[in-house]
Amino acid sequence: MGMFLRTVMKKLRQGMFDPPKTFIWPPTVYYLPRNYRGQPYNLPLIELETRGCSWNIENGGCTMCNYGGQGRDLPSEILVAQASFALSIVRGSPYIHLVPIGSFYDEREVPEDARRKITELVRDSGFVEYMGTESRAGFVTEEKITKTVDILGNIQFEVGVGLESSDDIIRELIINKGENKASFLRFYRICREKGVVSATHVLLKPPFLTESEAIDDAVKSIRWSIDNGSDYVILMVMNLRKGYTLTNWLYERGKYKLPMLWSLIKALLDLGEEYSKKVVIGGLISSETMAISAKNCEKCTDRILSLLSMYQYTWDPDYLEEAWEYPCDCKERWKELMEMRDVDLPDRILRYYEEIALELFGRDWWNENKGWIEREVYEFERVG
Ligand code: SF4
Ligand SMILES: [Zn+2]
């Protein structure tokens, strides 16, 4: 339980839901470079504007995420109308991702009747043959999945969940995920039994980690996901969203840096082909126009991003190798970053916590509360 982070996140979210945001219409659609059935494919990602992620509304949410949404309940008709309009935008696309800005299987965000009608719209579109969505793993049950699969019939269904890291300390005390590994294992089992494709989001470079620790953590987390039943992994390269996130707050104070693209390539190469062929890249393209995404230097970023897109379109590992071998001075700077070391993670987490608390809550608050916060960090048990 990361009570300190929840306190921090609630403080940072102040103003996020109040007053409710201007409604986004048409619903957001953007395209991701993918390979579908052996062919280059621009995958449409449809984001439905909902009330927002319940984990965010009730517990402050994950430290890197600004999926705030409307902050007010929306009637099912509005959600269904968004899905209907978005499907008309992407008509003809056999493979789509249709996600709320939180969890498809959270009834407070997507009421059951809306979920059913949206699924029927996809089935009746006549062009979709593969639909993906997203949810927190804890909201997924056999019963809910069965209902969706029954409606979709021959359409292949996929659900993506956010593990972020398989390391319990990183997931709870740095990301504030609020889900244990048992929840993900249960999710993989349900998907396997129901013939649903399971996808797992893993984060490249949560805050507080050095560049090399971030690569190691991503590689370990990807391996853990696939070894435990995830069909594939979406490696989310950290980006920075507008306001209200801890990563953004740290970045503005010089306490966090996005990963360099060299780190992304290194992680994919370290995985080896057996695993990397089950990994797609996320986080470099976003619906958030103001998002800052991971980069190298001005000289090589565009070229490296193009090669990574080609890799995504073709799955040809030569593009990855070519990106890795691309000559640029900034690789020396990256090598220096890779050499950076810091104190053990619990000590480091506490150091960051103190810096955050002093600015957000003041010295008196920290002195009054640091006893339980220290226990939270030093007595944290990795329970799986
Ligand atoms: S990452 Fe997912 S679970 Fe976490 S706050 Fe964002 S939408 Fe909610
Ligand atoms: Zn460069």
Side-chain angles (χ1 to χ4, degrees):
M1 275 290 183
M3 288 315 296
F4 173 75
L5 269 192
R6 282 174 212 184
T7 310
V8 166
M9 291 314 295
K10 283 186 177 172
K11 174 85 174 172
L12 291 179
R13 306 293 193 197
Q14 277 176 7
M16 188 170 182
F17 301 107
D18 182 28
K21 285 198 287 180
T22 310
F23 198 74
I24 294 175
W25 192 268
T28 308
V29 179
Y30 60 102
Y31 292 82
L32 301 170
R34 291 286 182 263
N35 184 289
Y36 180 58
R37 297 197 189 284
Q39 296 296 321
Y41 186 76
N42 282 326
L43 168 65
L45 199 149
I46 300 163
E47 276 180 3
L48 302 182
E49 174 101 340
T50 63
R51 78 172 201 145
C53 169
S54 294
W55 178 246
N56 191 331
I57 294 168
E58 287 152 22
N59 293 287
C62 306
T63 50
M64 71 297 182
C65 177
N66 74 340
Y67 274 10
Q70 285 283 301
R72 58 180 163 181
D73 289 347
L74 292 177
S76 293
E77 302 81 67
I78 289 195
L79 301 178
V80 175
Q82 288 185 67
S84 173
F85 195 86
L87 283 168
S88 72
I89 296 173
V90 305
R91 65 187 170 281
S93 303
Y95 172 25
I96 65 165
H97 265 217
L98 193 156
V99 302
I101 47 180
S103 292
F104 192 61
Y105 286 110
D106 174 9
E107 282 72 30
R108 287 163 297 177
E109 190 182 351
V110 185
E112 191 180 350
D113 63 324
R115 194 162 65 222
R116 179 172 51 75
K117 285 180 190 149
I118 290 168
T119 313
E120 287 169 354
L121 280 176
V122 171
R123 178 197 61 197
D124 297 340
S125 69
F127 57 83
V128 177
E129 56 186 49
Y130 188 126
M131 169 192 168
T133 192
E134 290 173 8
S135 178
R136 278 175 70 81
F139 288 127
V140 176
T141 66
E142 289 182 45
E143 191 193 349
K144 293 180 198 175
I145 289 273
T146 302
K147 282 185 183 163
T148 308
V149 168
D150 284 350
I151 294 171
L152 287 176
N154 289 332
I155 295 172
Q156 177 64 56
F157 185 47
E158 169 190 314
V159 182
V161 292
L163 172 74
E164 321 303 354
S165 170
S166 59
D167 184 304
D168 297 331
I169 287 193
I170 294 173
R171 204 175 57 256
E172 291 311 310
L173 298 185
I174 297 181
I175 298 174
N176 189 33
K177 194 76 216 177
E179 288 202 285
N180 61 25
K181 292 216 283 292
S183 182
F184 293 92
L185 295 176
R186 196 182 119 276
F187 165 76
Y188 297 145
R189 178 184 56 74
I190 294 173
C191 287
R192 195 167 51 245
E193 288 172 5
K194 297 293 171 191
V196 170
V197 173
S198 56
T200 306
H201 293 237
V202 164
L203 195 59
L204 180 63
K205 206 170 176 195
F208 308 175
L209 300 188
T210 66
E211 200 82 5
S212 62
E213 286 171 338
I215 295 171
D216 287 348
D217 182 60
V219 168
K220 278 188 199 138
S221 303
I222 290 167
R223 290 200 170 126
W224 184 89
S225 307
I226 290 172
D227 290 347
N228 282 284
S230 185
D231 289 308
Y232 79 100
V233 168
I234 301 164
L235 178 55
M236 294 299 295
V237 187
M238 182 74 96
N239 58 31
L240 294 168
R241 308 301 184 96
K242 282 177 285 184
Y244 305 116
T245 66
L246 182 62
T247 39
N248 205 50
W249 189 92
L250 292 166
Y251 173 82
E252 285 171 351
R253 286 154 182 79
K255 296 177 193 292
Y256 176 75
K257 281 196 171 65
L258 289 171
M260 291 183 77
L261 295 173
W262 297 122
S263 298
L264 166 61
I265 302 166
K266 175 88 165 71
L268 292 168
L269 291 173
D270 281 359
L271 278 167
E273 239 183 282
E274 187 195 341
Y275 286 94
S276 65
K277 68 186 180 195
K278 294 184 177 173
V279 178
V280 300
I281 302 167
L284 296 177
I285 298 170
S286 167
S287 63
E288 291 276 333
T289 49
M290 293 296 284
I292 305 171
S293 54
K295 291 181 175 52
N296 278 350
C297 75
E298 278 186 8
K299 278 190 273 176
C300 71
T301 293
D302 288 350
R303 180 68 186 148
I304 299 285
L305 286 175
S306 303
L307 289 166
L308 289 171
S309 283
M310 285 303 290
Y311 172 64
Q312 294 282 276
Y313 279 133
T314 62
W315 282 121
D316 182 346
D318 284 354
Y319 286 110
L320 211 51
E321 288 291 344
E322 193 179 332
W324 181 245
E325 298 299 336
Y326 190 78
C328 193
D329 303 343
C330 71
K331 205 167 192 181
E332 289 307 314
R333 184 159 52 86
W334 173 77
K335 284 180 185 164
E336 285 167 21
L337 279 179
M338 291 290 286
E339 294 300 317
M340 282 179 64
R341 299 286 176 266
D342 205 332
V343 296
D344 285 351
L345 202 49
D347 291 343
R348 199 184 322 164
I349 289 173
L350 205 65
R351 187 186 76 213
Y352 275 105
Y353 278 11
E354 181 173 359
E355 288 172 11
I356 294 165
L358 289 181
E359 183 168 340
L360 287 182
F361 307 118
R363 170 72 59 191
D364 290 347
W365 186 95
W366 175 252
N367 288 339
E368 271 168 39
N369 291 280
K370 77 174 181 191
W372 67 262
I373 297 169
E374 281 175 355
R375 282 195 298 283
E376 185 168 281
V377 174
Y378 290 122
E379 293 173 17
F380 184 90
E381 285 180 34
R382 288 180 163 93
V383 290

